[in-house]
Amino acid sequence: MSFHTKGADFRAVFVSAAGAINAATAQIQVDNRVLYQFSEMAVCANLLAGLFRDVHDLTLEVTTDRFFRSLIVESTPEGIFRAACQPNDLIDEVQNTQVVDADILTAKLVVTKRYPHIADQIRSTIGSKSNSIPNLVQQYLHESEQISTLMLTGTRLCPDPERGVIADKSFGLLIEALPGVSDNKKFVITDNLERLESLTQYFNDEAEKDIMDLLDDIYPGEQWIQTSETALVYRCRCNREGYLERIVDLARRDIDEVFGDLTELEVKCGYCANVFHYPRAEVESKL
């Protein structure tokens, strides 16, 4: 969901992601010891996609020294995301997941934005100064985008008899202060956000509160206007035709280099289990 204040001082993006995260982990393999970081990454990527509404898609990728070979989430403003999680073998030695948080201090975050009418991607890379992915993403916003933002996330995991662990609740809230907003107004929101212990506690089953209650508590007396609402879903967007176009583009430069001694290429999607096959004769017919 996206919102702005009546006076256009602030914009807000809110994400409720537990169902979509569980749908993702039902299709891709995510080690339970890194499920929390995976969930927070999914929330953050979709918050940024909601913030940058003009992008085609936005990708966050984290690598660390010890545990994450690649943790990647690609999101669109339409609420569709796909993800992959490839931990290093050292994850098998983890007994206390706090060491996984500590590893985030060594992280490198790469943010890639693709726009519909721009051929080249826009990419930013930063090194971590925090032991949490949400703080790392907020660091990117301040360092690379110079956007004055406040971000709050919350994920609660619970046991599951079939899958071991699943996401019970997972929320994210991002608030952007638009240019010219006074420091006093920024202080009001910052101070009230810091009073919240967690979003999962705020949206507990007994409280019966919704996002409008949260925004009212964060900035009392301000009128928030909802501008959009999109259901968050996990869906890999890979397709045979898309990969074929890329192979043909490469083959136009040097088809022998693309195929070598092979008569058929096998392409595995980096996000899901789909595998596609491309005979050389088919590619040659497209040249």
Side-chain angles (χ1 to χ4, degrees):
M1 297 182 183
S2 298
F3 304 84
H4 65 77
T5 55
K6 185 176 181 181
D9 291 330
F10 298 95
R11 289 197 303 167
V13 181
F14 176 76
V15 169
S16 177
I21 288 168
N22 291 330
T25 55
Q27 297 185 47
I28 59 177
Q29 185 174 0
V30 178
D31 191 292
N32 287 338
R33 287 162 290 197
V34 296
L35 178 57
Y36 184 86
Q37 287 76 18
F38 175 87
S39 300
E40 293 281 273
M41 185 82 152
V43 168
C44 290
N46 284 288
L47 285 175
L48 293 197
L51 177 66
F52 300 111
R53 298 290 302 175
D54 55 342
V55 300
H56 180 277
D57 57 55
L58 181 143
T59 304
L60 302 184
E61 182 172 12
V62 163
T63 58
T64 69
D65 285 352
R66 298 185 64 195
F67 300 127
F68 289 106
R69 184 163 71 252
S70 178
L71 171 56
I72 183 169
V73 180
E74 178 189 285
S75 303
T76 73
E78 293 75 33
I80 300 171
F81 82 96
R82 58 181 181 172
C85 185
Q86 300 175 338
N88 288 318
D89 293 339
L90 285 172
I91 198 67
D92 295 332
E93 302 173 6
V94 170
Q95 301 295 324
N96 186 336
T97 55
Q98 289 182 350
V99 301
V100 181
D101 289 329
D103 194 36
I104 300 299
L105 276 168
T106 71
K108 179 176 73 173
L109 172 67
V110 178
V111 182
T112 305
K113 292 187 289 185
R114 291 199 307 129
Y115 292 88
H117 306 298
I118 300 177
D120 296 330
Q121 299 175 338
I122 297 176
R123 178 170 296 184
S124 300
T125 302
I126 64 168
S128 177
K129 298 178 183 177
S130 170
N131 64 350
S132 82
I133 285 177
N135 287 346
L136 175 56
V137 172
Q138 188 160 309
Q139 178 189 332
Y140 152 75
L141 288 170
H142 285 285
E143 291 184 9
S144 298
E145 301 287 340
Q146 283 78 53
I147 295 177
S148 180
T149 57
L150 297 166
M151 192 160 64
L152 187 64
T153 65
T155 295
R156 186 174 72 193
L157 306 179
C158 69
D160 181 77
E162 295 183 358
R163 295 163 58 183
V165 180
I166 61 172
D168 177 41
K169 296 180 182 295
S170 191
F171 303 106
L173 174 67
L174 183 150
I175 297 180
E176 174 193 7
L178 298 179
V181 176
S182 69
D183 290 339
N184 183 58
K185 288 185 175 181
K186 292 179 184 178
F187 174 79
V188 171
I189 285 186
T190 302
D191 188 50
N192 286 327
L193 271 177
E194 290 177 348
R195 297 173 190 271
L196 293 174
E197 294 186 13
S198 73
L199 288 181
T200 53
Q201 182 174 340
Y202 187 89
F203 292 113
N204 64 65
D205 295 334
E206 298 177 358
E208 296 184 354
K209 291 187 176 182
D210 60 20
I211 177 57
M212 296 308 299
D213 293 317
L214 176 62
L215 293 174
D216 288 340
D217 287 342
I218 291 172
Y219 200 162
E222 182 61 74
Q223 182 178 351
W224 290 87
I225 300 170
Q226 183 173 336
T227 55
S228 67
E229 180 174 0
T230 304
L232 186 63
V233 296
Y234 170 79
R235 183 190 308 150
C236 190
R237 297 182 295 136
C238 68
N239 59 80
R240 191 179 188 281
E241 292 72 21
Y243 284 119
L244 178 60
E245 288 180 7
R246 298 179 197 178
I247 293 172
V248 170
D249 285 342
L250 293 173
R252 288 194 178 102
R253 303 172 195 172
D254 192 336
I255 190 169
D256 290 330
E257 182 178 350
V258 172
F259 280 88
D261 296 331
L262 300 174
T263 59
E264 182 177 271
L265 291 182
E266 179 181 275
V267 178
K268 297 180 180 179
C269 177
Y271 289 95
C272 69
N274 284 339
V275 178
F276 305 98
H277 294 90
Y278 301 92
R280 178 167 179 151
E282 179 184 12
V283 175
E284 289 177 336
S285 70
K286 301 288 183 180
L287 298 179

